[in-house]
Amino acid sequence: MSKPTITQVFKSVLSAFIGVQSEDSRKKAFEQGSLSTYIIAGLICTILFVIAVVSLVSVIV
């Protein structure tokens, strides 16, 4: 088993973030990768999402 690349980690996190990741994909990702990698990627995606929402609201208002 090889470790997932950074691209694969973010792809997995983004698909889980929007709720379209399959159970098999999730199991495969966590069996091959480390939990800390996915937590860090999830935090980065969450921060970017919050920044995007705040920016969009600022532009609209």
Side-chain angles (χ1 to χ4, degrees):
M1 288 188 163
S2 64
K3 292 186 114 186
T5 64
I6 238 356
T7 306
Q8 291 170 328
V9 169
F10 275 100
K11 181 181 173 187
S12 179
V13 167
L14 289 174
S15 61
F17 197 73
I18 60 173
V20 297
Q21 187 176 32
S22 68
E23 183 68 19
D24 292 335
S25 240
R26 186 192 63 78
K27 284 182 182 178
K28 181 180 172 187
F30 281 101
E31 287 173 358
Q32 292 179 354
S34 68
L35 180 61
S36 61
T37 304
Y38 286 96
I39 289 173
I40 292 169
L43 288 173
I44 290 170
C45 289
T46 302
I47 290 167
L48 291 175
F49 176 74
V50 169
I51 290 171
V53 169
V54 169
S55 298
L56 181 64
V57 170
S58 295
V59 168
I60 292 174
V61 171

Short mmCIF file of all heavy atoms in Angstrom, two decimals:
data_model
loop_
_atom_site.label_atom_id
_atom_site.label_comp_id
_atom_site.label_asym_id
_atom_site.label_seq_id
_atom_site.Cartn_x
_atom_site.Cartn_y
_atom_site.Cartn_z
N MET A 1 0.84 -1.18 0.00
CA MET A 1 0.00 0.00 0.00
C MET A 1 0.88 1.24 0.00
O MET A 1 1.75 1.39 0.83
CB MET A 1 -0.88 0.05 1.24
CG MET A 1 -1.99 -0.92 1.25
SD MET A 1 -3.06 -0.54 2.67
CE MET A 1 -4.46 -1.44 2.17
N SER A 2 0.61 2.13 -0.93
CA SER A 2 1.37 3.37 -0.99
C SER A 2 0.59 4.50 -0.33
O SER A 2 -0.64 4.48 -0.27
CB SER A 2 1.68 3.72 -2.43
OG SER A 2 0.48 3.97 -3.14
N LYS A 3 1.33 5.47 0.17
CA LYS A 3 0.68 6.62 0.80
C LYS A 3 0.04 7.49 -0.28
O LYS A 3 0.59 7.63 -1.37
CB LYS A 3 1.71 7.43 1.58
CG LYS A 3 2.25 6.70 2.78
CD LYS A 3 3.13 7.60 3.57
CE LYS A 3 2.44 7.82 4.88
NZ LYS A 3 3.08 8.78 5.73
N PRO A 4 -1.11 8.09 0.01
CA PRO A 4 -1.76 8.96 -0.98
C PRO A 4 -0.97 10.26 -1.17
O PRO A 4 -0.33 10.75 -0.23
CB PRO A 4 -3.13 9.23 -0.37
CG PRO A 4 -2.99 8.94 1.08
CD PRO A 4 -1.90 7.93 1.21
N THR A 5 -1.04 10.78 -2.38
CA THR A 5 -0.38 12.05 -2.67
C THR A 5 -1.21 13.19 -2.09
O THR A 5 -2.36 13.00 -1.69
CB THR A 5 -0.22 12.26 -4.19
OG1 THR A 5 -1.52 12.35 -4.78
CG2 THR A 5 0.56 11.13 -4.83
N ILE A 6 -0.62 14.36 -2.06
CA ILE A 6 -1.32 15.54 -1.52
C ILE A 6 -2.58 15.80 -2.35
O ILE A 6 -3.62 16.16 -1.79
CB ILE A 6 -0.34 16.74 -1.54
CG1 ILE A 6 -0.06 17.40 -0.20
CG2 ILE A 6 -0.77 17.83 -2.41
CD1 ILE A 6 -0.60 17.16 1.03
N THR A 7 -2.51 15.60 -3.65
CA THR A 7 -3.68 15.80 -4.52
C THR A 7 -4.79 14.81 -4.15
O THR A 7 -5.96 15.19 -4.08
CB THR A 7 -3.28 15.61 -6.00
OG1 THR A 7 -2.19 16.46 -6.29
CG2 THR A 7 -4.43 15.92 -6.93
N GLN A 8 -4.43 13.56 -3.91
CA GLN A 8 -5.42 12.56 -3.55
C GLN A 8 -6.04 12.86 -2.18
O GLN A 8 -7.23 12.65 -1.98
CB GLN A 8 -4.79 11.17 -3.54
CG GLN A 8 -4.42 10.67 -4.91
CD GLN A 8 -3.59 9.41 -4.86
OE1 GLN A 8 -2.82 9.20 -3.93
NE2 GLN A 8 -3.74 8.57 -5.87
N VAL A 9 -5.23 13.38 -1.27
CA VAL A 9 -5.74 13.73 0.06
C VAL A 9 -6.77 14.85 -0.07
O VAL A 9 -7.87 14.77 0.48
CB VAL A 9 -4.59 14.15 1.00
CG1 VAL A 9 -5.13 14.78 2.27
CG2 VAL A 9 -3.70 12.97 1.33
N PHE A 10 -6.43 15.92 -0.82
CA PHE A 10 -7.37 17.03 -0.96
C PHE A 10 -8.60 16.62 -1.75
O PHE A 10 -9.70 17.08 -1.46
CB PHE A 10 -6.69 18.26 -1.59
CG PHE A 10 -5.99 19.10 -0.55
CD1 PHE A 10 -4.63 19.01 -0.36
CD2 PHE A 10 -6.71 19.96 0.25
CE1 PHE A 10 -3.99 19.77 0.61
CE2 PHE A 10 -6.09 20.73 1.23
CZ PHE A 10 -4.73 20.63 1.40
N LYS A 11 -8.45 15.75 -2.72
CA LYS A 11 -9.60 15.25 -3.47
C LYS A 11 -10.55 14.50 -2.54
O LYS A 11 -11.76 14.69 -2.57
CB LYS A 11 -9.14 14.35 -4.61
CG LYS A 11 -10.26 13.80 -5.45
CD LYS A 11 -9.73 12.90 -6.54
CE LYS A 11 -10.88 12.23 -7.27
NZ LYS A 11 -10.41 11.22 -8.23
N SER A 12 -9.98 13.66 -1.68
CA SER A 12 -10.78 12.91 -0.73
C SER A 12 -11.47 13.83 0.27
O SER A 12 -12.65 13.67 0.58
CB SER A 12 -9.89 11.91 0.01
OG SER A 12 -10.61 11.18 0.94
N VAL A 13 -10.73 14.82 0.78
CA VAL A 13 -11.29 15.76 1.76
C VAL A 13 -12.40 16.60 1.12
O VAL A 13 -13.46 16.79 1.72
CB VAL A 13 -10.18 16.66 2.34
CG1 VAL A 13 -10.77 17.83 3.11
CG2 VAL A 13 -9.26 15.86 3.23
N LEU A 14 -12.17 17.08 -0.09
CA LEU A 14 -13.20 17.91 -0.75
C LEU A 14 -14.45 17.10 -1.07
O LEU A 14 -15.56 17.61 -0.93
CB LEU A 14 -12.62 18.56 -2.01
CG LEU A 14 -11.61 19.66 -1.76
CD1 LEU A 14 -11.00 20.14 -3.08
CD2 LEU A 14 -12.23 20.82 -1.01
N SER A 15 -14.28 15.86 -1.50
CA SER A 15 -15.47 15.06 -1.79
C SER A 15 -16.23 14.73 -0.51
O SER A 15 -17.46 14.71 -0.50
CB SER A 15 -15.10 13.78 -2.55
OG SER A 15 -14.25 12.97 -1.80
N ALA A 16 -15.52 14.52 0.58
CA ALA A 16 -16.19 14.31 1.87
C ALA A 16 -16.82 15.60 2.37
O ALA A 16 -17.89 15.59 2.97
CB ALA A 16 -15.19 13.78 2.90
N PHE A 17 -16.17 16.72 2.09
CA PHE A 17 -16.65 18.04 2.52
C PHE A 17 -18.02 18.35 1.93
O PHE A 17 -18.88 18.90 2.60
CB PHE A 17 -15.63 19.10 2.09
CG PHE A 17 -15.75 20.42 2.78
CD1 PHE A 17 -15.37 20.57 4.10
CD2 PHE A 17 -16.21 21.53 2.10
CE1 PHE A 17 -15.46 21.79 4.74
CE2 PHE A 17 -16.32 22.75 2.73
CZ PHE A 17 -15.94 22.89 4.05
N ILE A 18 -18.22 17.98 0.66
CA ILE A 18 -19.51 18.25 0.03
C ILE A 18 -20.45 17.05 0.11
O ILE A 18 -21.58 17.10 -0.36
CB ILE A 18 -19.36 18.74 -1.42
CG1 ILE A 18 -18.67 17.71 -2.28
CG2 ILE A 18 -18.65 20.06 -1.47
CD1 ILE A 18 -18.64 18.05 -3.75
N GLY A 19 -19.98 15.94 0.68
CA GLY A 19 -20.85 14.80 0.95
C GLY A 19 -21.04 13.82 -0.18
O GLY A 19 -22.07 13.14 -0.22
N VAL A 20 -20.09 13.71 -1.08
CA VAL A 20 -20.25 12.78 -2.19
C VAL A 20 -19.24 11.64 -2.18
O VAL A 20 -19.15 10.88 -3.13
CB VAL A 20 -20.18 13.51 -3.56
CG1 VAL A 20 -21.32 14.49 -3.71
CG2 VAL A 20 -18.85 14.19 -3.74
N GLN A 21 -18.48 11.49 -1.11
CA GLN A 21 -17.49 10.44 -1.03
C GLN A 21 -18.14 9.11 -0.67
O GLN A 21 -18.96 9.04 0.24
CB GLN A 21 -16.42 10.79 0.00
CG GLN A 21 -15.27 9.81 0.01
CD GLN A 21 -14.18 10.22 0.97
OE1 GLN A 21 -14.45 10.83 1.98
NE2 GLN A 21 -12.96 9.91 0.62
N SER A 22 -17.77 8.07 -1.39
CA SER A 22 -18.34 6.74 -1.11
C SER A 22 -17.67 6.13 0.11
O SER A 22 -16.57 6.52 0.52
CB SER A 22 -18.14 5.82 -2.32
OG SER A 22 -16.77 5.53 -2.49
N GLU A 23 -18.33 5.17 0.69
CA GLU A 23 -17.81 4.48 1.88
C GLU A 23 -16.49 3.76 1.55
O GLU A 23 -15.55 3.77 2.33
CB GLU A 23 -18.85 3.51 2.41
CG GLU A 23 -18.45 2.78 3.67
CD GLU A 23 -18.36 3.67 4.89
OE1 GLU A 23 -18.93 4.76 4.88
OE2 GLU A 23 -17.70 3.26 5.86
N ASP A 24 -16.44 3.15 0.37
CA ASP A 24 -15.21 2.46 -0.04
C ASP A 24 -14.05 3.42 -0.18
O ASP A 24 -12.92 3.12 0.21
CB ASP A 24 -15.43 1.72 -1.36
CG ASP A 24 -16.41 0.56 -1.23
OD1 ASP A 24 -16.53 0.03 -0.10
OD2 ASP A 24 -17.01 0.18 -2.24
N SER A 25 -14.30 4.58 -0.75
CA SER A 25 -13.27 5.61 -0.91
C SER A 25 -12.77 6.08 0.45
O SER A 25 -11.57 6.27 0.65
CB SER A 25 -13.86 6.81 -1.64
OG SER A 25 -13.21 7.07 -2.80
N ARG A 26 -13.69 6.28 1.37
CA ARG A 26 -13.32 6.74 2.70
C ARG A 26 -12.46 5.71 3.42
O ARG A 26 -11.43 6.04 4.00
CB ARG A 26 -14.57 7.04 3.53
CG ARG A 26 -14.27 7.67 4.89
CD ARG A 26 -15.49 7.69 5.78
NE ARG A 26 -15.98 6.37 6.12
CZ ARG A 26 -15.43 5.56 7.03
NH1 ARG A 26 -14.37 5.93 7.68
NH2 ARG A 26 -15.95 4.38 7.28
N LYS A 27 -12.86 4.45 3.36
CA LYS A 27 -12.09 3.39 4.00
C LYS A 27 -10.69 3.29 3.39
O LYS A 27 -9.70 3.17 4.11
CB LYS A 27 -12.82 2.06 3.86
CG LYS A 27 -13.98 1.91 4.80
CD LYS A 27 -14.62 0.55 4.64
CE LYS A 27 -15.82 0.42 5.55
NZ LYS A 27 -16.49 -0.88 5.37
N LYS A 28 -10.62 3.34 2.08
CA LYS A 28 -9.33 3.25 1.39
C LYS A 28 -8.42 4.41 1.79
O LYS A 28 -7.23 4.22 2.05
CB LYS A 28 -9.55 3.24 -0.12
CG LYS A 28 -8.29 3.12 -0.93
CD LYS A 28 -8.61 3.13 -2.41
CE LYS A 28 -7.35 3.19 -3.23
NZ LYS A 28 -7.61 3.36 -4.65
N ALA A 29 -8.99 5.60 1.85
CA ALA A 29 -8.19 6.78 2.18
C ALA A 29 -7.62 6.68 3.59
O ALA A 29 -6.43 6.97 3.81
CB ALA A 29 -9.05 8.04 2.06
N PHE A 30 -8.42 6.26 4.56
CA PHE A 30 -7.94 6.20 5.93
C PHE A 30 -7.07 4.98 6.21
O PHE A 30 -6.29 4.98 7.15
CB PHE A 30 -9.10 6.29 6.92
CG PHE A 30 -9.58 7.70 7.09
CD1 PHE A 30 -10.72 8.13 6.45
CD2 PHE A 30 -8.87 8.59 7.86
CE1 PHE A 30 -11.15 9.44 6.59
CE2 PHE A 30 -9.30 9.90 8.01
CZ PHE A 30 -10.44 10.32 7.38
N GLU A 31 -7.17 3.94 5.40
CA GLU A 31 -6.28 2.80 5.56
C GLU A 31 -4.89 3.12 5.02
O GLU A 31 -3.89 2.65 5.54
CB GLU A 31 -6.85 1.57 4.86
CG GLU A 31 -8.03 0.96 5.57
CD GLU A 31 -8.70 -0.15 4.79
OE1 GLU A 31 -8.26 -0.43 3.65
OE2 GLU A 31 -9.67 -0.73 5.30
N GLN A 32 -4.82 3.91 3.96
CA GLN A 32 -3.55 4.21 3.33
C GLN A 32 -2.86 5.44 3.91
O GLN A 32 -1.65 5.50 3.95
CB GLN A 32 -3.73 4.41 1.82
CG GLN A 32 -4.11 3.15 1.10
CD GLN A 32 -4.32 3.37 -0.37
OE1 GLN A 32 -4.29 4.49 -0.85
NE2 GLN A 32 -4.56 2.30 -1.10
N GLY A 33 -3.62 6.43 4.31
CA GLY A 33 -3.04 7.68 4.79
C GLY A 33 -3.09 7.79 6.29
O GLY A 33 -3.64 6.93 6.99
N SER A 34 -2.50 8.86 6.79
CA SER A 34 -2.52 9.07 8.23
C SER A 34 -3.63 10.06 8.59
O SER A 34 -3.98 10.95 7.81
CB SER A 34 -1.18 9.61 8.71
OG SER A 34 -0.96 10.91 8.24
N LEU A 35 -4.16 9.90 9.77
CA LEU A 35 -5.27 10.73 10.23
C LEU A 35 -4.86 12.20 10.29
O LEU A 35 -5.64 13.08 9.90
CB LEU A 35 -5.75 10.25 11.60
CG LEU A 35 -6.92 11.01 12.21
CD1 LEU A 35 -8.14 10.92 11.32
CD2 LEU A 35 -7.22 10.47 13.59
N SER A 36 -3.65 12.47 10.76
CA SER A 36 -3.21 13.86 10.89
C SER A 36 -3.18 14.58 9.54
O SER A 36 -3.50 15.76 9.47
CB SER A 36 -1.84 13.93 11.57
OG SER A 36 -0.87 13.26 10.80
N THR A 37 -2.81 13.88 8.49
CA THR A 37 -2.80 14.48 7.15
C THR A 37 -4.19 14.92 6.74
O THR A 37 -4.39 16.02 6.22
CB THR A 37 -2.25 13.48 6.12
OG1 THR A 37 -0.95 13.05 6.54
CG2 THR A 37 -2.15 14.11 4.75
N TYR A 38 -5.17 14.07 7.00
CA TYR A 38 -6.54 14.39 6.63
C TYR A 38 -7.12 15.49 7.51
O TYR A 38 -7.90 16.31 7.05
CB TYR A 38 -7.42 13.14 6.66
CG TYR A 38 -7.14 12.24 5.49
CD1 TYR A 38 -6.26 11.17 5.60
CD2 TYR A 38 -7.70 12.49 4.25
CE1 TYR A 38 -5.98 10.36 4.52
CE2 TYR A 38 -7.43 11.69 3.15
CZ TYR A 38 -6.57 10.63 3.30
OH TYR A 38 -6.29 9.83 2.22
N ILE A 39 -6.75 15.53 8.78
CA ILE A 39 -7.21 16.59 9.67
C ILE A 39 -6.66 17.94 9.22
O ILE A 39 -7.40 18.93 9.15
CB ILE A 39 -6.83 16.29 11.13
CG1 ILE A 39 -7.67 15.12 11.65
CG2 ILE A 39 -7.02 17.52 12.01
CD1 ILE A 39 -7.28 14.63 13.02
N ILE A 40 -5.38 17.98 8.90
CA ILE A 40 -4.77 19.23 8.43
C ILE A 40 -5.41 19.68 7.11
O ILE A 40 -5.74 20.86 6.95
CB ILE A 40 -3.24 19.06 8.29
CG1 ILE A 40 -2.61 18.90 9.67
CG2 ILE A 40 -2.62 20.24 7.54
CD1 ILE A 40 -1.17 18.45 9.65
N ALA A 41 -5.60 18.76 6.18
CA ALA A 41 -6.24 19.10 4.91
C ALA A 41 -7.67 19.59 5.14
O ALA A 41 -8.12 20.54 4.50
CB ALA A 41 -6.23 17.90 3.97
N GLY A 42 -8.38 18.96 6.06
CA GLY A 42 -9.75 19.38 6.38
C GLY A 42 -9.79 20.77 6.98
O GLY A 42 -10.67 21.58 6.65
N LEU A 43 -8.85 21.07 7.87
CA LEU A 43 -8.77 22.41 8.45
C LEU A 43 -8.47 23.46 7.39
O LEU A 43 -9.06 24.55 7.39
CB LEU A 43 -7.73 22.44 9.56
CG LEU A 43 -8.11 21.73 10.85
CD1 LEU A 43 -6.92 21.69 11.81
CD2 LEU A 43 -9.30 22.39 11.50
N ILE A 44 -7.56 23.15 6.50
CA ILE A 44 -7.22 24.09 5.41
C ILE A 44 -8.45 24.35 4.54
O ILE A 44 -8.76 25.50 4.22
CB ILE A 44 -6.04 23.56 4.57
CG1 ILE A 44 -4.75 23.61 5.40
CG2 ILE A 44 -5.89 24.36 3.28
CD1 ILE A 44 -3.58 22.89 4.76
N CYS A 45 -9.16 23.30 4.17
CA CYS A 45 -10.37 23.46 3.35
C CYS A 45 -11.45 24.25 4.08
O CYS A 45 -12.13 25.09 3.48
CB CYS A 45 -10.90 22.10 2.92
SG CYS A 45 -9.87 21.28 1.70
N THR A 46 -11.60 24.01 5.36
CA THR A 46 -12.59 24.73 6.16
C THR A 46 -12.25 26.21 6.24
O THR A 46 -13.12 27.08 6.08
CB THR A 46 -12.71 24.13 7.57
OG1 THR A 46 -13.05 22.75 7.44
CG2 THR A 46 -13.73 24.85 8.40
N ILE A 47 -10.99 26.52 6.50
CA ILE A 47 -10.55 27.93 6.57
C ILE A 47 -10.76 28.62 5.23
O ILE A 47 -11.26 29.75 5.18
CB ILE A 47 -9.08 28.01 7.03
CG1 ILE A 47 -8.98 27.61 8.50
CG2 ILE A 47 -8.51 29.40 6.82
CD1 ILE A 47 -7.57 27.35 8.99
N LEU A 48 -10.40 27.95 4.14
CA LEU A 48 -10.61 28.54 2.81
C LEU A 48 -12.10 28.76 2.52
O LEU A 48 -12.48 29.77 1.93
CB LEU A 48 -9.97 27.67 1.74
CG LEU A 48 -8.44 27.64 1.73
CD1 LEU A 48 -7.94 26.64 0.70
CD2 LEU A 48 -7.87 29.02 1.47
N PHE A 49 -12.94 27.83 2.95
CA PHE A 49 -14.37 27.97 2.75
C PHE A 49 -14.92 29.16 3.52
O PHE A 49 -15.70 29.96 2.99
CB PHE A 49 -15.09 26.68 3.18
CG PHE A 49 -16.58 26.76 3.09
CD1 PHE A 49 -17.22 26.73 1.87
CD2 PHE A 49 -17.36 26.89 4.24
CE1 PHE A 49 -18.60 26.81 1.78
CE2 PHE A 49 -18.73 26.97 4.17
CZ PHE A 49 -19.35 26.93 2.93
N VAL A 50 -14.51 29.32 4.77
CA VAL A 50 -14.97 30.45 5.59
C VAL A 50 -14.50 31.77 4.98
O VAL A 50 -15.27 32.73 4.90
CB VAL A 50 -14.49 30.30 7.05
CG1 VAL A 50 -14.73 31.55 7.84
CG2 VAL A 50 -15.18 29.11 7.71
N ILE A 51 -13.25 31.82 4.53
CA ILE A 51 -12.74 33.03 3.89
C ILE A 51 -13.54 33.35 2.62
O ILE A 51 -13.88 34.52 2.37
CB ILE A 51 -11.23 32.89 3.58
CG1 ILE A 51 -10.43 32.91 4.88
CG2 ILE A 51 -10.75 33.99 2.63
CD1 ILE A 51 -8.96 32.55 4.71
N ALA A 52 -13.86 32.32 1.84
CA ALA A 52 -14.65 32.55 0.62
C ALA A 52 -16.04 33.07 0.94
O ALA A 52 -16.53 34.00 0.28
CB ALA A 52 -14.75 31.26 -0.17
N VAL A 53 -16.69 32.52 1.97
CA VAL A 53 -18.03 32.98 2.34
C VAL A 53 -17.98 34.41 2.86
O VAL A 53 -18.81 35.25 2.46
CB VAL A 53 -18.67 32.02 3.38
CG1 VAL A 53 -19.92 32.61 3.97
CG2 VAL A 53 -18.96 30.68 2.75
N VAL A 54 -17.02 34.72 3.72
CA VAL A 54 -16.89 36.08 4.25
C VAL A 54 -16.62 37.08 3.12
O VAL A 54 -17.20 38.16 3.07
CB VAL A 54 -15.79 36.14 5.33
CG1 VAL A 54 -15.45 37.57 5.71
CG2 VAL A 54 -16.23 35.37 6.57
N SER A 55 -15.75 36.69 2.19
CA SER A 55 -15.45 37.58 1.05
C SER A 55 -16.67 37.80 0.17
O SER A 55 -16.93 38.92 -0.26
CB SER A 55 -14.32 36.97 0.21
OG SER A 55 -13.15 36.87 0.98
N LEU A 56 -17.42 36.74 -0.07
CA LEU A 56 -18.61 36.85 -0.90
C LEU A 56 -19.65 37.75 -0.24
O LEU A 56 -20.25 38.62 -0.89
CB LEU A 56 -19.21 35.46 -1.16
CG LEU A 56 -20.45 35.41 -2.04
CD1 LEU A 56 -20.13 35.88 -3.44
CD2 LEU A 56 -21.00 34.00 -2.07
N VAL A 57 -19.85 37.60 1.05
CA VAL A 57 -20.80 38.45 1.77
C VAL A 57 -20.33 39.90 1.77
O VAL A 57 -21.13 40.82 1.58
CB VAL A 57 -21.00 37.93 3.21
CG1 VAL A 57 -21.76 38.93 4.06
CG2 VAL A 57 -21.71 36.58 3.20
N SER A 58 -19.04 40.12 1.91
CA SER A 58 -18.49 41.49 1.88
C SER A 58 -18.72 42.15 0.53
O SER A 58 -19.03 43.33 0.45
CB SER A 58 -17.01 41.47 2.20
OG SER A 58 -16.79 41.04 3.51
N VAL A 59 -18.55 41.39 -0.52
CA VAL A 59 -18.76 41.93 -1.88
C VAL A 59 -20.23 42.24 -2.10
O VAL A 59 -20.58 43.28 -2.68
CB VAL A 59 -18.24 40.94 -2.94
CG1 VAL A 59 -18.71 41.33 -4.33
CG2 VAL A 59 -16.73 40.84 -2.89
N ILE A 60 -21.11 41.39 -1.64
CA ILE A 60 -22.55 41.58 -1.85
C ILE A 60 -23.06 42.76 -1.01
O ILE A 60 -23.86 43.56 -1.48
CB ILE A 60 -23.33 40.30 -1.53
CG1 ILE A 60 -23.00 39.23 -2.58
CG2 ILE A 60 -24.82 40.55 -1.48
CD1 ILE A 60 -23.58 37.88 -2.30
N VAL A 61 -22.60 42.85 0.22
CA VAL A 61 -23.08 43.91 1.11
C VAL A 61 -22.30 45.16 0.78
O VAL A 61 -22.73 46.21 0.56
CB VAL A 61 -22.86 43.54 2.59
CG1 VAL A 61 -23.16 44.71 3.51
CG2 VAL A 61 -23.72 42.36 2.95
#
